[in-house]
């Protein structure tokens, strides 16, 4: 099959999200004054926007705050599948939890899917919403029994699904499970509507506004950088992907972070529909979308911990080869990557921040399935703030505890300590004089190890590579031209600016 298909030799030079490119979003000012609102929502991704939208419908005055542009975090770089089929999750949940918890997780995500569907239809939102069957599959013989256990979990929990010996697309599979009635969409077109409604309902939105700290009380005082401005509110929602306010409850030791990659490709062959994710060692995700009136395929995968891949561009090349040999590729208009957070037990933390802070709420750890889990967050946080009962609150409560979580918490702590020590003793790999245009590396400069990047015009940028969050050493990411932290996933531009938290301060610039 591969001989008749074209595998292009070039990828886009710079990463760019297709969703961000084809969707025109409103812009909002930076916060430059003190304000008072009912609820402050920090983080304008799907969880924050959905929460703010639902609260605005209830008559709450909401401030939605983002350190950058709205919808420019993981939500803007997703593959945008709306599905309750989350890989191999249900058999794992049955092993670790009571069946009621596994069932409730499915029902909560199915409710989120229905909420999105009904919101799109009721408001006639033009967001390319399309019903699709979802498939999880394997082409590895040693994974077939695992997939069978997942199918058995479907049957035990009453989840609709069907067993297959192959797939309707030209991807080899020894077995697959389908889940009907799932969906896909353009997430930014959908969320753009919600943002506009927040403003229409009296809410305020601020971009390029970094929230640095908060003082708990009545009211809660939320501070921008250097306490330049204050937001006073009765309740606060931390939906900033990685919690910006986390030391109080130790969230930095309770979360795992992974990067993954995606291409939008124009295929040579006709796609037969469906959404697909593999459980193989080389994981792959596939769905269709529309770009400039033509069908494209979004092909994703290649997971790794941030700062732990020496040649990040190779991940794009692997996806390019898979797409080319499987579907044929005439063009690759976009490539992008995203960073996802998973909790210790793979159930998101959604609810009260901790027992000591009952009027602060958190939403994080969506385990790569942010379209449904982020919507679950909005529905649950609305009900938390309204003091309304919800059958799924206990399942997602951040205060839950089990032995597996405690053991993993210890492992996470050791991992951070290992990274901290290893990074301090890592050597510089390049001579500064050898650095070519559009190349970055650790170098030795005036006897010290620094991070260096020379842009295409030859300008040199030198930074101290010590992460400003908790002191781990960042690593160069060649594909994104960024410095990435392996401990908690903070990312910085080649000139040191914060691209992704939890870090709030930029890397220190080093003089030439």
């Amino acid at each position: 099959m591969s001989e008749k298909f074209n595998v292009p030799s070039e990828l886009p030079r710079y990463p760019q999200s297709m969703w961000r490119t084809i969707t025109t979003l409103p812009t909002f000012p930076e916060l430059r004054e003190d304000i008072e609102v009912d609820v402050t929502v920090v983080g304008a991704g799907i969880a924050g926007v959905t929460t703010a939208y639902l609260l605005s419908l209830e008559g709450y005055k909401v401030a939605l705050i983002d350190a950058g542009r709205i919808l420019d975090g993981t939500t803007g770089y997703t593959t945008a599948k709306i599905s309750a089929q989350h890989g191999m999750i249900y058999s794992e949940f049955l092993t670790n939890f009571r069946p009621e918890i596994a069932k409730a997780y499915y029902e909560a995500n199915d409710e989120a899917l229905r909420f999105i569907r009904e919101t799109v239809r009721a408001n006639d939102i033009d967001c390319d919403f399309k019903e699709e069957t979802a498939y999880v599959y394997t082409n590895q013989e040693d994974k077939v029994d695992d997939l069978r256990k997942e199918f058995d979990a479907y049957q035990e929990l009453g989840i609709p699904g069907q067993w297959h010996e192959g797939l309707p697309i030209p991807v080899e599979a020894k077995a697959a499970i389908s889940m009907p009635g799932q969906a896909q969409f353009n997430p930014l077109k959908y969320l753009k509507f919600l943002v506009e409604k927040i403003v229409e309902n009296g809410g305020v939105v601020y971009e390029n506004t970094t929230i640095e700290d908060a003082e708990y009380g009545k009211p809660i005082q939320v501070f921008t950088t250097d306490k330049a401005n204050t937001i006073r509110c009765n309740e606060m929602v931390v939906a900033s992907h990685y919690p910006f306010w986390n030391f109080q409850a130790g969230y930095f030791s309770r979360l795992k972070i992974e990067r993954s990659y995606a291409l939008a490709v124009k295929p040579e062959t006709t796609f037969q529909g469906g959404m697909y994710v593999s459980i193989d060692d080389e994981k792959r995700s596939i769905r269709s979308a529309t770009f400039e009136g033509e069908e494209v395929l979004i092909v994703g995968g290649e997971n790794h911990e941030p700062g732990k891949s020496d040649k990040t561009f190779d991940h794009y090349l692997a996806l390019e080869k898979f797409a080319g040999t499987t579907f044929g590729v005439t063009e690759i208009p976009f490539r992008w990557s995203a960073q996802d957070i998973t909790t210790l037990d793979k159930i998101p933390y959604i609810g009260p921040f901790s027992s000591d802070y009952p009027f602060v709420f958190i939403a994080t750890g969506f385990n790569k399935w942010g379209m449904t889990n982020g919507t679950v967050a909005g529905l649950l946080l609305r009900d938390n703030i309204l003091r309304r009962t919800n059958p799924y609150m206990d399942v997602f409560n951040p205060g839950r505890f089990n032995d597996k979580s405690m053991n993993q918490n210890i492992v996470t702590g050791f991992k951070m300590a290992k990274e901290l020590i290893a990074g301090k003793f890592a050597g510089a790999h390049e001579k500064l004089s050898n650095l070519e245009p559009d190349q970055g590396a650790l170098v030795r400069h005036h006897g010290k190890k620094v991070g260096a990047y020379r842009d295409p015009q030859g300008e040199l940028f030198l930074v101290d590579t010590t992460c400003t969050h908790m002191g781990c050493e960042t690593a160069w990411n060649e594909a994104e031209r960024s410095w990435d932290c392996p401990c908690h996933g903070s990312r910085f531009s080649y000139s040191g600016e914060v691209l992704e938290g939890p870090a709030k301060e930029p890397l220190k610039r080093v003089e030439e």
Side-chain angles (χ1 to χ4, degrees):
M1 180 181 296
S2 62
E3 288 78 11
K4 69 178 182 179
F5 285 151
N6 169 49
V7 183
S9 59
E10 293 185 1
L11 289 163
R13 183 172 184 180
Y14 296 104
Q16 190 177 27
S17 161
M18 184 179 76
W19 311 123
R20 296 283 309 177
T21 302
I22 67 178
T23 309
T24 302
L25 296 172
T27 60
F28 297 96
E30 179 182 348
L31 179 61
R32 295 185 179 275
E33 61 181 347
D34 297 344
I35 61 172
E36 292 189 15
V37 294
D38 297 320
V39 182
T40 300
V41 179
V42 182
I46 187 168
V49 169
T50 305
T51 302
Y53 166 74
L54 290 170
L55 290 173
S56 76
L57 294 178
E58 299 288 342
Y60 283 72
K61 183 172 183 179
V62 181
L64 179 63
I65 314 293
D66 200 276
R69 292 288 312 281
I70 63 169
L71 305 172
D72 199 26
T74 298
T75 297
Y77 296 79
T78 177
T79 55
K81 298 175 182 176
I82 318 169
S83 179
Q85 187 186 66
H86 296 175
M88 297 284 286
I89 203 74
Y90 296 107
S91 56
E92 183 173 345
F93 284 171
L94 284 180
T95 299
N96 296 329
F97 307 115
R98 301 188 312 276
E100 303 85 63
I101 293 177
K103 177 75 170 183
Y105 180 90
Y106 166 76
E107 290 175 344
N109 278 273
D110 187 56
E111 181 180 313
L113 166 58
R114 285 186 277 111
F115 172 83
I116 295 173
R117 180 191 293 120
E118 291 164 7
T119 301
V120 170
R121 291 177 177 173
N123 297 283
D124 195 24
I125 303 173
D126 180 14
C127 62
D128 302 323
F129 183 91
K130 184 181 180 183
E131 302 272 350
E132 291 281 10
T133 297
Y135 295 82
V136 58
Y137 72 93
T138 182
N139 194 41
Q140 291 183 208
E141 195 66 50
D142 60 342
K143 301 279 189 182
V144 173
D145 286 346
D146 294 334
L147 196 65
R148 176 63 71 177
K149 290 178 183 176
E150 181 72 4
F151 185 61
D152 291 342
Y154 278 37
Q155 295 180 307
E156 180 176 344
L157 297 171
I159 297 173
Q162 186 175 348
W163 183 264
H164 303 270
E165 301 296 335
L167 296 174
I169 59 174
V171 173
E172 294 184 1
K174 297 185 183 300
I177 304 170
S178 63
M179 182 182 287
Q182 309 305 289
Q184 62 186 36
F185 67 163
N186 177 326
L188 299 197
K189 288 183 178 180
Y190 165 76
L191 292 166
K192 176 183 177 180
F193 171 84
L194 269 57
V195 169
E196 291 170 344
K197 284 297 179 182
I198 292 167
V199 176
E200 189 177 305
N201 294 336
V204 290
V205 182
Y206 294 99
E207 296 181 314
N208 302 310
T209 301
T210 300
I211 301 300
E212 188 172 68
D213 201 1
E215 287 184 2
Y216 187 75
K218 278 294 187 178
I220 299 169
Q221 296 189 85
V222 184
F223 303 111
T224 61
T225 303
D226 297 326
K227 295 191 176 181
N229 296 110
T230 303
I231 307 171
R232 292 177 175 84
C233 56
N234 297 321
E235 329 244 5
M236 178 173 74
V237 171
V238 179
S240 52
H241 193 52
Y242 198 105
F244 82 94
W245 202 55
N246 68 68
F247 287 98
Q248 292 85 346
Y251 283 101
F252 63 86
S253 66
R254 301 164 61 188
L255 299 169
K256 177 184 176 183
I257 305 169
E258 278 193 341
R259 292 198 65 73
S260 57
Y261 300 80
L263 302 177
V265 305
K266 293 183 179 181
E268 290 184 8
T269 56
T270 301
F271 187 64
Q272 298 301 315
M275 305 185 301
Y276 305 85
V277 63
S278 73
I279 63 168
D280 294 344
D281 295 336
E282 292 186 349
K283 292 180 172 57
R284 295 291 181 261
S285 168
I286 309 162
R287 60 154 287 192
S288 63
T290 302
F291 172 62
E292 295 182 338
E294 295 184 47
E295 183 177 63
V296 296
L297 300 183
I298 299 176
V299 178
E302 295 291 303
N303 306 338
H304 68 86
E305 295 180 45
K308 301 294 286 184
S309 178
D310 291 334
K311 295 186 177 181
T312 50
F313 210 86
D314 286 354
H315 300 292
Y316 287 115
L317 293 173
L319 294 178
E320 177 188 38
K321 182 178 179 181
F322 170 78
T325 57
T326 306
F327 302 103
V329 173
T330 61
E331 186 182 345
I332 302 179
F334 299 100
R335 68 173 176 92
W336 68 88
S337 64
Q339 201 148 282
D340 293 280
I341 297 176
T342 303
T343 67
L344 301 181
D345 59 12
K346 298 188 179 178
I347 298 177
Y349 297 139
I350 304 170
F353 188 83
S354 74
S355 58
D356 294 328
Y357 302 94
F359 300 106
V360 178
F361 303 90
I362 191 170
T364 189
F366 299 150
N367 191 23
K368 299 182 183 296
W369 297 99
M371 298 301 97
T372 49
N373 273 323
T375 303
V376 170
L379 295 166
L380 278 175
L381 294 176
R382 174 201 60 187
D383 291 346
N384 269 280
I385 289 171
L386 292 175
R387 311 298 184 260
R388 181 187 291 172
T389 59
N390 186 302
Y392 311 122
M393 282 182 178
D394 289 343
V395 174
F396 294 89
N397 189 332
R400 65 184 180 271
F401 177 84
N402 60 54
D403 291 340
K404 182 175 181 179
S405 292
M406 182 180 70
N407 292 337
Q408 188 59 47
N409 204 329
I410 295 171
V411 170
T412 302
F414 278 125
K415 173 182 173 292
M416 176 191 164
K418 180 181 177 182
E419 294 292 350
L420 188 62
I421 295 169
K424 299 303 180 186
F425 288 96
H429 304 299
E430 293 285 347
K431 290 183 178 180
L432 186 57
S433 58
N434 293 339
L435 208 61
E436 297 180 358
D438 201 21
Q439 182 182 9
L442 285 173
V443 301
R444 186 67 58 179
H445 181 62
H446 296 324
K448 294 182 179 180
K449 182 181 68 176
V450 300
Y453 170 74
R454 195 182 300 279
D455 73 11
Q457 289 72 44
E459 183 177 357
L460 187 64
F461 296 84
L462 300 176
V463 296
D464 181 338
T465 56
T466 301
C467 179
T468 57
H469 175 229
M470 293 184 72
C472 293
E473 291 299 308
T474 60
W476 178 245
N477 177 340
E478 62 176 356
E480 319 300 323
R481 297 167 178 82
S482 63
W483 295 99
D484 298 356
C485 179
C487 289
H488 304 108
S490 294
R491 297 181 61 239
F492 305 86
S493 71
Y494 58 77
S495 56
E497 288 80 13
V498 176
L499 297 176
E500 289 192 60
K504 303 168 192 171
E505 299 294 328
L507 297 178
K508 294 180 181 178
R509 292 290 295 269
V510 176
E511 296 297 326
E512 288 190 49

